[in-house]
Amino acid sequence: QVQLVESGGGLVQAGGSLRLSCVASGSGFKINAMGWYRQAPGKQRESVAGITSGGVTNVADSVKGRFTISRDNAKNTVYLQINSLKPEDTAVYYCKLISGTWREYWGQGTQVTVSS
């Protein structure tokens, strides 16, 4: 079993920055990929960024240039650096892990609120 714990969310003014973290823990698991999703009130959950075990990244066009995903393999941690925050970035941000056996795991989410 894999547990994911996100942190780093909060209330920030437009134009500010945040760095979200997601730590994966458990026993005997391998990671194929990790990613970040977000869900705003009344909207569907959407993918914002992902990174493979080999370090290949992809970022949604809607946030490209402002969001950067990275990972620390030694710490089983993935980060999401968010710059130039906008009110429309307000959402709950979730971390997802795809294991070596292709199972999906989700974190509990961290709230990001951007004030104008």
Side-chain angles (χ1 to χ4, degrees):
Q1 191 70 6
V2 177
Q3 294 81 41
L4 301 175
V5 178
E6 302 103 330
S7 62
L11 174 63
V12 63
Q13 287 189 333
S17 298
L18 284 174
R19 189 175 83 151
L20 308 183
S21 301
C22 173
V23 181
S25 63
S27 61
F29 69 96
K30 293 184 180 180
I31 300 173
N32 270 334
M34 296 183 75
W36 287 96
Y37 290 68
R38 68 183 181 184
Q39 187 166 19
K43 295 187 177 182
Q44 289 189 328
R45 191 174 296 189
E46 62 174 350
S47 173
V48 293
I51 185 166
T52 70
S53 58
V56 177
T57 62
N58 70 279
V59 178
D61 288 342
S62 60
V63 300
K64 199 165 289 184
R66 298 190 300 118
F67 286 29
T68 303
I69 188 169
S70 61
R71 64 187 288 177
D72 184 333
N73 290 336
K75 296 181 179 180
N76 284 339
T77 300
V78 64
Y79 304 98
L80 186 68
Q81 178 68 40
I82 310 175
N83 298 327
S84 302
L85 277 156
K86 304 176 180 180
E88 51 264 43
D89 294 321
T90 294
V92 178
Y93 284 71
Y94 296 93
C95 175
K96 185 175 89 168
L97 180 149
I98 301 176
S99 74
T101 57
W102 300 102
R103 288 189 64 179
E104 294 184 357
Y105 299 89
W106 291 88
Q108 82 289 348
T110 185
Q111 176 71 46
V112 171
T113 303
V114 184
S115 63
S116 57

